[in-house]
Each structure stands twice: as C-alpha cells, then as structure tokens.
Amino acid sequence: MRVIFMGTPEFSVPVLEALVAAGHEVPCVYSQPPRPAGRGKKDRPSPVQARAEAMGLPVRHPVSLRDADAQADFADLKADVAVVVAYGLILPQAILDAPARGCLNIHASLLPRWRGAAPIHRAVMAGDAETGVCIMQMEAGLDTGPVLLSRRTPIGSEETTAHLHDRLSGMGAALIVEALARLDSLTPEPQTDEGVTYAAKIDKTEAQVDWTRPAPEVDRLIRGLSPFPGAWTMAGETRIKLIASRLADGTGVPGTVLHDPLRVACGSGAVELIRLQRAGKGVQDAGEFLRGWPLPAGTVL
C-alpha cells in the first residue's frame, strides 16, 4: 500500500519503522520543521525526520498545510492512505480527502476518553486503571472520528508516563500494520457521546507539588509528569525534580520528610520518592541522591 506518514516525536518513530518493515511504500514523510535545541540553540530535526532520512525516505516539513500549493503537493503523492501519529498540525479537509482511503490516526487512549494533546499524561494523572491505542478514521473534529481497531492495556501502579509512552508506541505500531492489512474488512465504529474527556496540553504551572493534597494525587502527579515537564518541589532554595514515586505508609505535616527511604507526608498518607534530580545534575535513585544531598527527617519541602 502507498502510505504517506505524518509524525514528529519519538513516539511516532516505531510506527514509521513498522510500516516500512511491513512492506508498505512510503513516498514521503511529513514532520514538524526543525526547531532550535540544545545549548547552542541550533535547528535540530524532529526524531521522525532524523529517522526517515536515515532510512532514505524523503521528508517535507511545511509550516502549514492550509495553502493551495502545499495541498497540491500532498495530493500529487497519490497515496492510498495517510497514517498520522502525533504530527502536530491540524489537517484541513483538502488533506483529509486527498488519499484514496483517507487518513488514519493512531491515538494513545481509549476514545472517546482523552481526546486531545496529552492523553498519556492525563490517563496517569487521573489514576485510570487502563488505557490503550485506537486506530481512528480522521475527520475535521478533534479526535472525533470512527474507530477501526483498538487495544487495551493496564496502567501499572508505579508506571510513569515515560514507561507507558514506550509501551503504547509499540502497541500503536503493531496495530496500524494490522489495520492496514485488514482495511477492506474493518467496520468503522462511531464514537459514543458518553465518556468524552479532553486531554489538555500539559502546562508547566501544573508541575509544582502541593503536599497538602492526598498521597494518591501527589503520586499520580509525579508519575504522570515524568519525565516532562517533571513534577518539582523546593528544599530551601534548591529545586528538586521528582521522577518516580510510589505510595507509602506514614503521616505528618504535609511536605515533611519522614525517614529513609525518602518518604514525604502528604495531606493524607505519604509518598516514597524513588528517583530525583537536582537542577544541573543527572537523575539519581533516592539513596544516591541522599548521599550527595541529605534530606534528614523533619525537613519540610
């Protein structure tokens, strides 16, 4: 099948690799333009662009798909289908209509739950017991199209967004290959109007830990924002990024370090901090962190 691929971040890379490995022809890859990155702020291609070029695939990165020339270039590819995963641009109707079989989106949630930009973060932060991947037939609405295939997976009690991200990426890659192989026999299922939630883009203002909240909420915040943007707290004048945590026994004044291993009291209950990072330092396990930066019992964060 002749497949245009549209994606940008690391999440999308295994999908591109799976499509090529399955024998599909990829005449062009679309990705977001290179962005300034690193200390030198030099333009850096997206993970998808870098991988596509390494595979010898042509890459386009238009700033917009709304002008007539960009739409004509897209239509001239004469694709059977476009596969879209975390691309980052709104697709106008002319783009949606160009491939003979339309555009298919890989979405990392069980639609209609968590439509929108940050479904993995929001599922962990909300304490969902499970999530999954959907192959959706795209239409003009935000993640509103009918679903062709879906797969479910539990969310582990200590799982971070980073871990779940990698699992769902692999699931999406396998599922889109299956969907394309079965495309003629799949029946699109319209999404129900019940259970619709929206996964708003993560705002960095959400990341500071409020220790007066119950321990389950604090734990989910830490795991849900790991690794980016990263939940954080202050120890005196030092900002500490919290990378991994679990629920723990203990009570005390919210924000108070209880004892080693590094447990911190919340509004109710406590959390154990497993991995942490000081500004300018690497990520460390709690024991290593405490050897270099002691936080004795009674310290208030």
Side-chain angles (χ1 to χ4, degrees), residues 233-240 293 295 299-301:
T233 191
M234 298 295 293
E237 298 298 315
T238 300
R239 179 165 167 154
I240 300 173
W293 190 262
L295 292 173
T299 301
V300 178
L301 303 178

Side-chain angles (χ1 to χ4, degrees), residues 121-128 155-161 206-226 230-232 242-249 262 264-275:
H121 295 79
R122 296 298 177 189
V124 176
M125 291 167 69
D128 290 2
I155 299 177
S157 62
E158 297 181 16
E159 193 159 25
T160 64
T161 285
E206 301 178 68
Q208 184 172 10
V209 174
D210 178 358
W211 295 107
T212 68
R213 305 303 301 167
E217 290 186 23
V218 173
D219 174 59
R220 296 197 304 260
L221 179 76
I222 293 169
R223 292 186 293 108
L225 297 184
S226 175
W232 59 274
L242 310 177
I243 305 300
S245 62
R246 64 168 68 99
L247 293 175
D249 295 328
L262 186 51
V264 182
C266 301
S268 59
V271 296
E272 178 183 344
L273 304 180
I274 301 171
R275 290 175 64 77

Side-chain angles (χ1 to χ4, degrees), residues 43-68:
D43 281 353
R44 180 182 298 174
S46 73
V48 163
Q49 179 178 344
R51 184 66 184 116
E53 289 176 345
M55 298 169 74
L57 300 174
V59 179
R60 296 176 183 171
H61 39 71
V63 175
S64 171
L65 290 169
R66 296 191 179 279
D67 66 88

Side-chain angles (χ1 to χ4, degrees), residues 12 116 151 156:
S12 310
R151 290 288 184 275

Side-chain angles (χ1 to χ4, degrees), residues 9-184:
E10 195 65 44
F11 183 86
S12 310
V13 171
V15 181
L16 174 60
E17 294 173 336
L19 291 171
V20 173
H24 295 290
E25 179 188 359
V26 180
C28 191
V29 171
Y30 279 71
S31 192
Q32 284 283 293
R35 308 288 192 203
R39 293 185 177 181
K41 296 299 181 183
K42 294 182 179 179
D43 281 353
R44 180 182 298 174
S46 73
V48 163
Q49 179 178 344
R51 184 66 184 116
E53 289 176 345
M55 298 169 74
L57 300 174
V59 179
R60 296 176 183 171
H61 39 71
V63 175
S64 171
L65 290 169
R66 296 191 179 279
D67 66 88
D69 287 343
Q71 292 173 7
D73 290 343
F74 188 88
D76 285 346
L77 292 169
K78 301 188 183 306
D80 296 307
V81 68
V83 170
V84 184
V85 51
Y87 175 41
L89 282 184
I90 299 295
L91 304 190
Q93 195 64 48
I95 296 293
L96 294 174
D97 293 341
R101 308 293 293 271
C103 298
L104 302 183
N105 176 247
I106 303 173
H107 189 75
S109 81
L110 297 174
L111 293 167
R113 186 162 179 79
W114 302 129
R115 295 173 178 171
I120 304 175
H121 295 79
R122 296 298 177 189
V124 176
M125 291 167 69
D128 290 2
E130 66 174 0
T131 186
V133 172
C134 287
I135 306 300
M136 178 190 69
Q137 204 168 56
M138 294 183 71
E139 57 184 32
L142 177 64
D143 299 329
T144 57
V147 174
L148 295 175
L149 277 179
S150 64
R151 290 288 184 275
R152 297 175 176 267
T153 187
I155 299 177
S157 62
E158 297 181 16
E159 193 159 25
T160 64
T161 285
H163 293 143
L164 188 56
H165 166 284
D166 292 349
R167 288 207 295 117
L168 293 178
S169 177
M171 287 175 60
L175 200 60
I176 190 62
V177 170
E178 179 182 346
L180 292 178
R182 298 172 52 196
L183 198 54
D184 291 334

